[in-house]
Amino acid sequence: MLIKEQNTVTHSFEYALPIANFNNYSLQSYANRIVDDFKNISNIESKAQIYDEYYHYIYNMAKIYSTFHLGQNKHDRDEYSAFINQTNMIFNAGIFIKAAPSK
């Protein structure tokens, strides 16, 4: 049996957008940009463009994170790990299906 339509759905995806609450202003700023970008992914082409921006932001976040010393900035270190995991799950899952506005 041949399938004529392309089906890219591989599994159910019900993760919410990540919520970052960094004390460090720069980390929070990058996290906000990433979340805003995720909201605008509507097709595979926009995902590819945002993917490049995402890695630029993550790289800059990692540079900031690398300045934290053990025993310091525990909140932001924990928040960073959680945020990276959440964003990786979203990017690996595909694009969001936008719900129709409720009336």
Side-chain angles (χ1 to χ4, degrees):
M1 175 178 181
L2 294 174
I3 299 174
K4 294 181 181 181
E5 294 180 27
Q6 183 180 9
N7 184 354
T8 60
V9 177
T10 57
H11 63 279
S12 175
F13 178 74
E14 296 180 16
Y15 298 111
L17 283 170
I19 299 172
N21 186 22
F22 292 103
N23 292 327
N24 180 288
Y25 174 81
S26 294
L27 285 177
Q28 186 64 48
S29 178
Y30 286 122
N32 290 345
R33 292 178 197 172
I34 290 169
V35 172
D36 287 345
D37 282 352
F38 280 158
K39 290 177 186 176
N40 294 319
I41 296 175
S42 59
N43 58 49
I44 198 67
E45 290 81 21
S46 64
K47 180 181 177 183
Q49 179 183 0
I50 290 171
Y51 191 71
D52 291 338
E53 294 172 12
Y54 168 74
Y55 275 100
H56 172 75
Y57 297 147
I58 292 298
Y59 173 78
N60 288 326
M61 290 177 80
K63 287 185 358 185
I64 296 166
Y65 178 84
S66 71
T67 66
F68 296 164
H69 302 286
L70 287 174
Q72 295 178 325
N73 303 74
K74 179 168 176 18
H75 169 80
D76 280 356
R77 286 187 299 121
D78 292 345
E79 192 73 18
Y80 175 83
S81 295
F83 185 77
I84 295 301
N85 287 334
Q86 290 171 338
T87 58
N88 282 335
M89 287 188 299
I90 288 172
F91 248 113
N92 290 329
I95 62 173
F96 288 113
I97 297 173
K98 296 187 180 194
S102 56
K103 294 180 181 182

